[in-house]
Amino acid sequence: MPPPQQPSLGAWAVLALLREGETHGWALVRAMAPEGEIGRVWSIRRALVYRTIEVVIEAGLVEHAGVEQGTRGSPRTLLRLTPAGRQAVDRWLTEPVVHVRDLRSELLLKLLFAQRSGLDRAPLLRAQQKILAETVAALEARIAAGTPAEITVRAFRLETARAGARFVEGELARLTPSG
């Protein structure tokens, strides 16, 4: 039997929205549309939201929670996290992002959901700061090694990691009251 798949970023977004309370698929679609609050950070197409809902239900992370009357007359199936879903998303919200390339999407989503839920973002930011410091140090140590193309890619990754580190530092400073 193959190991269980790691949830996609879309699945994490669905789980994090359901962590806020029971809702239906259309509300999830609206939140993750490009003009939605989540969609302004990271958006996902309607069909993919509904497919993602099926996936997280099949994985035992989400379950049906009843039906409510829709605004246009059609009933809507309510969804809620299972205990396993809550545990998974709670853990995900505290884990720093491993790859610099995922800062723009995954880290921003985690910070947005943590803020919406009233969670302390400082532990996540401190853990992210540590990973970025290690990444910057590793890239600085290897910046001049390799072909010209490899050096160019490393230089880009280094500057991206430094920018990420500055962003995290700024977020931590905003969380700390001055004075």
Side-chain angles (χ1 to χ4, degrees):
M1 178 180 221
Q5 266 192 318
Q6 179 70 359
S8 67
L9 193 53
W12 287 123
V14 164
L15 294 172
L17 279 167
L18 289 172
R19 183 185 184 282
E20 297 174 4
E22 293 179 4
T23 194
H24 50 81
W26 181 244
L28 297 172
V29 166
R30 284 194 327 251
M32 289 193 276
E35 64 279 0
E37 184 175 357
I38 308 306
R40 283 183 256 143
V41 172
W42 187 82
S43 63
I44 181 174
R45 293 184 339 262
R46 178 175 60 181
L48 195 49
V49 171
Y50 284 112
R51 176 63 191 128
T52 299
I53 291 168
E54 292 173 14
V55 169
V56 293
I57 288 172
E58 290 168 10
L61 302 173
V62 170
E63 62 190 4
H64 295 281
V67 176
E68 76 175 12
Q69 192 61 36
T71 56
R72 294 187 182 167
S74 58
R76 295 186 172 157
T77 301
L78 292 173
L79 305 165
R80 71 174 161 232
L81 288 179
T82 63
R86 178 167 289 281
Q87 183 180 16
V89 74
D90 284 352
R91 184 178 55 249
W92 177 75
L93 286 170
T94 64
E95 295 172 343
V97 174
V98 176
H99 299 288
V100 172
R101 66 179 173 260
D102 296 326
L103 292 174
R104 166 63 182 91
S105 54
E106 190 174 350
L107 179 63
L108 286 182
L109 272 180
K110 288 179 181 194
L111 292 172
L112 174 63
F113 283 120
Q115 184 175 32
R116 286 169 54 111
S117 297
L119 300 174
D120 182 6
R121 292 168 288 152
L124 170 61
L125 287 165
R126 283 192 293 274
Q128 192 65 61
Q129 189 176 43
K130 182 176 186 252
I131 286 180
L132 286 167
E134 292 167 358
T135 300
V136 166
L139 288 168
E140 285 174 340
R142 297 179 45 217
I143 193 70
T147 67
E150 290 169 335
I151 292 169
T152 299
V153 169
R154 280 193 196 109
F156 180 81
R157 287 185 64 219
L158 175 59
E159 290 308 313
T160 304
R162 286 175 175 160
R166 286 190 305 273
F167 167 76
V168 168
E169 193 174 302
E171 287 299 294
L172 279 167
R174 276 188 279 286
L175 293 178
T176 307
S178 59

